[in-house]
Each structure stands twice: as structure tokens, then as C-alpha cells.
Amino acid sequence: MQSQPHDVVVVGGGLAGIVTALECLRAGQSVALVDRDSPERLGGLALWAFGGMALVGTPLQARMKIPDTPERALRDWLRFGELDPADTYPQQWARYYVEHSRGEVYDWLLQEGVKFMPAVNWVERGMHGDGNSVPRYHIVWGTSRELTRRMVAALREAASTGRLTLLHRHRVTALEHRAGQVSGAVAVNEATGAEVRLAAPVVVLAMGGINGSHAEVRAHWPQDRPCPSAMLNGAHPYADGQMHHWVADALDGRITHAGEMWNYAAGFPHPFPHFEGHGLSTIPCKSALWLDHRGERIGPEPLVTGFDTHWLCQRVAAQEKPWTWHLLNWRIAIKEFAISGAEHNQRIRDMQFPAFLKETLLGNHRLVRQMQSESRHFLVDDTLAGLAAKMNTLTCSRDIDPGVLQATADRFDANFANGSKLHNDDQIRRILHARQWGPDKLRTCAPAPLQKPGTGPFIAIQMQLITRKSLGGLQTDLQSRVLDGAGQPIGGLYCVGEAAGFGGGGASGKRSLEGTFLPGCILTARAAARSITTGRAP
């Protein structure tokens, strides 16, 4: 077996692994970075993500007169995430995040050449105002792809002296250790089967979460919550939990909060899947009616995005069949319909500001037509009866009675029969509340009848729950050191990013304020590198 000595071995080439390797290289360490994917996919899920970040106390917030502070953010975080006061390490990481996201993420990324869009969005407000009490969602200009590419470029520049060994298409199968001290890793070339031993006194685990494996997802799904019979995969397929279990079995590492997940309620199959079960996660239209498999509105509290994703997922998972429908019209779709990620946000991804502004103001007809052409789950028809027939054809059923679908639309439209003073629908109330914030007003239609003349054709999108991120992981302290069953650091072993539940084995608790994941990768990675290279805690 070939042997290569290094100061640090990093397992996983996502954002957390890249930042860890970068910071260690800049501190003079020699690094081996092991990644299962191909060279062009270095960066993992971050390469495809949208790039939203929950950041606290930034100059951009100040310019928009948003009165945010770490103290306020921590109150929101602990309340919305329902963190157990006895959960010491997640609590510590939550506090660290809100106190340092400005300096360690926002300011640092600006120094690295990353820019942010000139607006802060307001997401996860909570069903009863118990989420983000102020807007915090900053969007990377160029999406997360631009962020990732800049980090990769910085990594290669820092490695110009030959201190980086980058192994693509290699999978770490075991860690070498003795008496509780890690001494390296064994990796297998998945193309040839050849093994390589990477000797190092420090190993950093950055292999992502468990949600790429639906077997793992179902094995850890909380027994007191409904689980749908079918789901799509929006996670990285290599985030399969195998190394989590290896560390738990061989080194007594603690996996905590594995049943807590950040899934999405409105996904549909990728028209050109990159792997089996690959789904796209939409940013659901606030003005669309969210229907069950029969075409009846889910209620009594209507499903509206932007308030509590965790609650939406539970409501969707509890439905009789593993899909729901979004009913809308062309007017709503061109203003509100969006797909999360870099792939379908090309104006932001490619930093085409005039084109982005034009589509925001005049409507994104391009994306709607693209999905109409590419996805059989995106149905368009001039009449509700015709739409009902297409919905039944897609599901090979007679679930949708055209009369029921018509009655559903009529009942909603009745809210507008006597003017705005007689609106009495919680979805309309939530839309009006969202439109009070300028950036949301740009992307949310003024309430109007679904069947208003000139707003067609009608659109129905078949949606499924889609897995995304793990909120739990290996338990770590504030130095990103992996802890054993007795709460003691395992010598030489660190864990960062999603593999560590974005800090402490579950820093978000039961639900996230959204946008905490990319910053969580950066914060945990920089904390690990600081501990490795200086021995200091953050």
C-alpha cells in the first residue's frame, strides 16, 4: 500500500473541507484533501447551491435600517430551533455563530473577493412570528457557485508550493488510530481499487451529512412524525453516513440529533437527473394554492412558504399520498416561481444584473417556459377542466374531479368578490404581510383572483417532499474536535460542516433560521484550522 505523510488529512471536498484545507495551507501545513467526486465537481453541494446566508449585524443590514444584534439573533435561534438547554455544544455553537458570522463569514468573504446582492431577504418568519424577527438572508452575487470557485482558486494558489495533495475519486474507508489517537486515513481509488495510506497526526472529517442516503433518512426519521412513502433526493448522493457510523463504532464518537433534518416540502424530479432520485427544490409561490392529491386545498391553515419550512414538511408528509399540487396561473408563475440552486438562477449565477433586474420587474417567462418544456410534472392548460385531465394522466388516476378543482378555485376567488375590505383568508393575510418588506414585494404578487381574466393559462405543479441537509451529526466542541461517549476529544480528529451538524452535532436544533448552512461550514472549518495550526480555541 502506497504511503504519503502529511500534517493534515481532510476527508471531503465540499465547502467545509475546502475552507479547512485553505486555512491550514495558509498557516504552512501540508494537506491531503480526499474527495469522492470528479475534479470538475470539487466543491460538492455548495457548487450547486443558491448561496443564501443568515448573517447578523452586517453593514448591508445597517444600510437597510434592520436593527439586528447577536443577542436578538440568539433569542430567535434558540426559540425557533427549540434547542434543549442541556444541549451544551449545540448551544455553544449557536451563540458562536450569531456572534461571529459578521467577522468570520461576511467580512472574510468580502476580503476573498465575494460580493453580496444589495438586499436582505426575510425568510423563516415563523408561523406566529417566532422565527427571524428581522431580515437576515444575504444572497451571494454569483450564487454559491461563485463562492465555491473563489475558494477553490484560493486553495490552488495557497498550494502553489506543493504542500497540497488532492485526490479525486477516492473514498476514505477507515481511519488509522491507536489508543484513541488518530494517525491517518486509508483511501481507495474508486476507479482502480488501489489503496493509499495517508499518514497524518490530524484528520478532519468534512464528508457531509446523511441525507444523500434515503435508507439513513428513514432509519433516523423521528417516530412521532409522519414519513412519506416516497421522497426525492436533493442532497449529495455521497452524503451517506458511512463515515459517521465508522467513527461511532471504531472510536466511540457520538452521533447526535440524527433525526433532525432540513428537508423541503416542494420538490419535483430533475428533468435531467445527475443521480437516481435527483430532485429540484422549488421556492414555492406564496400565491399558489397548495392542494392535496384530490385537488382540494390543504387546510384549515393554508400552506404558505416563507414562514416555517419544518411545519410545511410535516404537513406535506402527513398527506394521504406522497405528492401535493400547486395550483397557480401564468401571472403568479412569472413573478414568484423559482427553483433553489445555481443551476436555474442563471442571471444571479452569471452575474447578469441588467437581465436579472428585467426578469424581476417584467417576469421570468424564460424559466416558466423552460419548465413547461422540460418537466412532465409542470402542467399548463387554458382551462381548469383541461388541467384536471392532465393531472390525472400524470398520476394514472382519477383523483382529480374537475368539479372539485373548479370549486377549490371558486372558493378562493370568492374572497375578492366584494373588495379588499372583505378578504378573510389566512393565505391572503400572509401574502400582504410579506409584501410589506420591499425585497419580498418585488417577488410576490398582489392578491388577486386565480381566475382573473388575462392572468392565464393555469398551471399545476406536482410536488414531493425532497431531502436536503442533516441537522445532526458527530458531536464537536468549539474547536471542531470530535468528542467520544465520555465527552472527551478524540486525539487528532476534527469534524466540520454538515458532518458535524454544522457545529456541535446539531446547532440548529429542530429547525433552522434558513441560510445557516454555508456560514456554518465556514465557521466550523475556520475554527478547526485555527485549533490545528495554533492550538487556540475560537
Side-chain angles (χ1 to χ4, degrees):
M1 182 190 302
Q2 181 184 1
S3 181
Q4 300 178 10
H6 298 85
D7 295 320
V8 182
V9 172
V10 179
V11 182
L15 179 62
I18 289 171
V19 172
T20 305
L22 171 63
E23 294 285 80
C24 287
L25 286 167
R26 285 175 171 174
Q29 302 278 296
S30 64
V31 178
L33 178 58
V34 187
D35 189 51
R36 288 185 67 182
D37 223 327
S38 57
E40 66 273 11
R41 290 180 180 266
L42 181 64
L45 202 59
L47 193 63
W48 304 95
F50 180 53
M53 295 189 176
L55 302 170
V56 180
T58 67
L60 186 52
Q61 284 180 306
R63 285 199 294 273
M64 298 184 73
K65 295 181 169 47
I66 300 170
D68 202 10
T69 64
E71 293 76 20
R72 181 172 194 161
L74 185 62
R75 287 195 300 270
D76 293 350
W77 187 304
L78 298 180
R79 178 182 62 246
F80 200 51
E82 300 181 46
L83 272 72
D84 188 329
D87 242 345
T88 303
Y89 297 107
Q91 290 257 354
Q92 288 179 356
W93 271 108
R95 180 179 295 277
Y96 185 78
Y97 183 111
V98 300
E99 291 178 349
H100 296 277
S101 67
R102 156 75 191 275
E104 293 278 314
V105 179
Y106 184 84
D107 292 346
W108 184 72
L109 288 177
L110 290 179
Q111 293 169 10
E112 297 291 334
V114 175
K115 298 179 181 179
F116 292 88
M117 296 185 69
V120 182
N121 287 19
W122 198 351
V123 300
E124 294 301 297
R125 304 178 186 209
M127 291 300 295
H128 307 289
D130 52 347
N132 281 300
S133 58
V134 295
R136 297 190 174 101
Y137 194 77
H138 298 62
I139 299 171
V140 173
W141 183 232
T143 71
S144 185
R145 188 182 74 166
E146 172 68 10
L147 161 67
T148 305
R149 286 182 170 180
R150 284 191 174 272
M151 292 296 102
V152 171
L155 180 74
R156 297 191 187 283
E157 182 180 353
S160 59
T161 56
R163 288 179 287 107
L164 174 66
T165 300
L166 191 50
L167 299 178
H168 298 289
R169 299 191 184 279
H170 281 68
R171 177 170 58 92
V172 169
T173 57
L175 304 182
E176 297 199 321
H177 61 99
R178 187 173 184 178
Q181 175 70 42
V182 169
S183 58
V186 176
V188 175
N189 184 319
E190 294 198 304
T192 67
E195 285 191 342
V196 57
R197 177 177 178 270
L198 302 166
V202 172
V203 174
V204 182
L205 302 176
M207 64 282 181
I210 68 169
N211 277 30
S213 164
H214 279 191
E216 286 289 310
V217 168
R218 293 187 181 281
H220 292 102
W221 198 279
Q223 295 299 309
D224 61 343
R225 299 177 201 166
C227 181
S229 59
M231 295 177 282
L232 296 169
N233 189 354
H236 199 291
Y238 292 152
D240 56 14
Q242 290 187 26
M243 188 53 63
H244 289 76
H245 291 301
W246 193 96
V247 171
D249 295 340
L251 297 174
D252 194 30
R254 290 194 64 199
I255 303 172
T256 66
H257 305 290
E260 303 301 343
M261 307 168 198
W262 191 249
N263 300 323
Y264 289 106
F268 62 93
H270 196 303
F272 308 103
H274 301 174
F275 48 84
E276 184 179 355
H278 185 193
L280 292 171
S281 178
T282 70
I283 301 171
C285 303
K286 286 183 173 66
S287 302
L289 301 186
W290 208 317
L291 314 180
D292 64 16
H293 71 283
R294 298 184 191 87
E296 298 175 325
R297 200 167 172 206
I298 299 173
E301 197 166 11
L303 275 58
V304 185
T305 190
F307 295 91
D308 189 337
T309 298
H310 182 74
W311 178 82
L312 283 177
C313 286
Q314 291 196 66
R315 292 294 304 278
V316 166
Q319 297 304 305
E320 184 178 338
K321 291 192 176 180
W323 67 80
T324 58
W325 293 99
H326 286 193
L327 179 64
L328 59 158
N329 56 34
W330 198 269
R331 167 185 174 264
I332 294 170
I334 61 172
K335 193 173 187 69
E336 299 187 17
F337 179 72
I339 299 172
S340 182
E343 184 178 3
H344 293 92
N345 287 279
Q346 70 182 68
R347 304 307 185 201
I348 300 175
R349 182 195 67 203
D350 298 337
M351 295 180 280
Q352 301 169 338
F353 190 77
F356 166 75
L357 189 61
K358 180 181 178 182
E359 288 185 346
T360 300
L361 296 176
L362 302 181
N364 195 345
H365 296 267
R366 173 188 53 82
L367 179 62
V368 179
R369 291 194 184 102
Q370 180 185 349
M371 288 302 105
Q372 180 185 6
S373 170
E374 294 179 354
S375 175
R376 68 188 189 94
H377 301 270
F378 194 102
L379 308 176
V380 180
D381 201 273
D382 289 329
T383 69
L384 288 173
L387 196 64
K390 290 179 179 179
M391 295 161 78
N392 285 333
T393 298
L394 180 63
T395 59
C396 300
S397 73
R398 296 180 179 176
D399 288 341
I400 305 291
D401 184 321
V404 169
L405 191 66
Q406 183 67 57
T408 297
D410 288 345
R411 278 193 294 272
F412 177 76
D413 288 356
N415 283 285
F416 302 93
N418 297 296
S420 61
K421 291 182 180 179
L422 294 180
H423 290 169
N424 189 24
D425 185 279
D426 193 54
Q427 183 165 354
I428 295 173
R429 281 189 284 270
R430 290 188 180 277
I431 289 170
L432 292 173
H433 171 62
R435 281 174 54 84
Q436 291 174 1
W437 180 244
D440 283 336
K441 186 175 183 178
L442 282 172
R443 300 300 299 267
T444 307
C445 291
L450 188 70
Q451 300 170 87
K452 182 179 178 179
T455 60
F458 298 107
I459 298 172
I461 313 172
Q462 188 192 38
M463 299 292 197
Q464 297 182 60
L465 191 143
I466 180 170
T467 61
R468 191 64 170 171
K469 307 173 186 85
S470 305
L471 295 185
L474 289 166
Q475 190 172 74
T476 55
D477 63 12
L478 277 179
Q479 293 173 259
S480 291
R481 298 180 298 184
V482 178
L483 305 179
D484 64 17
Q488 296 301 308
I490 298 171
L493 186 60
Y494 292 76
C495 187
V496 295
E498 190 176 354
F502 301 98
S508 290
K510 293 182 182 299
R511 55 170 69 80
S512 167
L513 291 174
E514 180 65 295
T516 59
F517 310 116
L518 293 172
C521 288
I522 294 170
L523 286 166
T524 55
R526 298 194 73 197
R530 188 179 298 112
S531 176
I532 292 165
T533 59
T534 70
R536 292 188 292 108

